[in-house]
Amino acid sequence: MNAEKLVMDWLNAAPELKDYPASFEVPAESSATDRIPFVTVERTGGSEGWFVSRPLIAVQVWAASRWEASDVAQRLVLPRLKRIVELPEVADWDITGLTDFPMPDGRPRYQILIQLTVKTDE
């Protein structure tokens, strides 16, 4: 089971996030204003064990302004992530960070770090 895909699909299934499509990649034209806003999902660590996975996932909200990135992260994305336990594979979650995380070139983004407890078959 791919935890990144699980989170990406969960975000993309939310009607309130239809204007913020989630993907694994930054769109090639991401510097163009017509490609913002969007969300990226990336596994950044975690642990694996028998019958349980504890992936650490970075969810990054990219927007035209710091305010928009912050607002969407806190008002739309964070509440959606907290409901991910509605999926049968997810037993628990822990938000380990919510930070302003601009790109080095200044493009605004906010990052949410979430650690999931996911049931596995192994």
Side-chain angles (χ1 to χ4, degrees), residues 11-34:
L11 293 172
N12 283 330
E16 65 272 19
L17 290 170
K18 68 178 174 48
D19 294 331
Y20 300 87
S23 68
F24 297 136
E25 306 290 334
V26 173
E29 307 87 27
S30 66
S31 61
T33 57
D34 63 326

Side-chain angles (χ1 to χ4, degrees), residues 18 20 36-37 57 78 84 88 97 102 104 109:
K18 68 178 174 48
Y20 300 87
I36 291 178
I57 307 285
L78 189 57
I84 200 165
R109 68 180 172 173

